Amino acid sequence: MKQLIFEDYIKYDVRHQEDASEIISWVLKQISRGRFEISGNICKVKILLCEEKTTVILSNKTTIYEFLELKDIAFPKEPSLDFLYNKIERFDEPLLKFLKNYQEQFYKLGIEFENKYWYKLYSTIEIKDDMRKLYQVKWIDYEKQFEKESIIHDESGLCGLWAMPYNMVHKCLNE
């Protein structure tokens, strides 16, 4: 798997590079969803770059202030990014300490929601829409997966499956 160093892409003079804003954007989104691994003095974030799984390495060389300055680069905007950035309260702590605390507080596995109902909408027919590319969302054949197992997963292994509580279901329906 290809590895990149995050600090190489956040310098103002290199952000114009072809992949820099895309790399920054996907790293921030994965972090906002709690999808990263901290080991020692590094944070590993897996993204899909040009259809290739890529690991991006962050360290405390990036300050919280520099991390905050990247907020407007991420596109398309997602609520999870606002949530992440609203949790930044101190600018003097190391980035990895903030990320570890963020993940511990807000990243939850499905098993942690025992006795609560969450809903997921899906189609038996593949939906082709440009928005899927924009969000790097691949169609999941739920019916095929249900035949083999009871756990549904994102086939790329990089993005979690989105579910919602009952009070949001009606907000997601249209004609």
Side-chain angles (χ1 to χ4, degrees), residues 1 8 24 35 48-49 56 90 101 114 123 136 175:
M1 184 181 308
D8 294 343
I24 292 167
R35 299 189 58 80
L48 203 58
L49 184 63
V56 182
R90 297 183 51 203
N101 290 336
E114 273 187 44
S123 173
Q136 287 189 332
E175 300 89 41

Side-chain angles (χ1 to χ4, degrees), residues 4 8 20 37 41 76 90 94 101 127 170:
L4 304 172
D8 294 343
E37 177 186 322
N41 294 324
R90 297 183 51 203
N101 290 336
I127 299 170
H170 294 288

Side-chain angles (χ1 to χ4, degrees), residues 3-14:
Q3 285 195 353
L4 304 172
I5 306 298
F6 190 66
E7 287 83 11
D8 294 343
Y9 295 90
I10 66 169
K11 297 175 190 141
Y12 184 77
D13 58 341
V14 297

Side-chain angles (χ1 to χ4, degrees), residues 23-38:
I23 291 165
I24 292 167
S25 183
W26 289 119
V27 166
L28 295 179
K29 289 177 185 186
Q30 287 291 75
I31 288 173
S32 73
R33 299 171 189 140
R35 299 189 58 80
F36 56 89
E37 177 186 322
I38 294 178

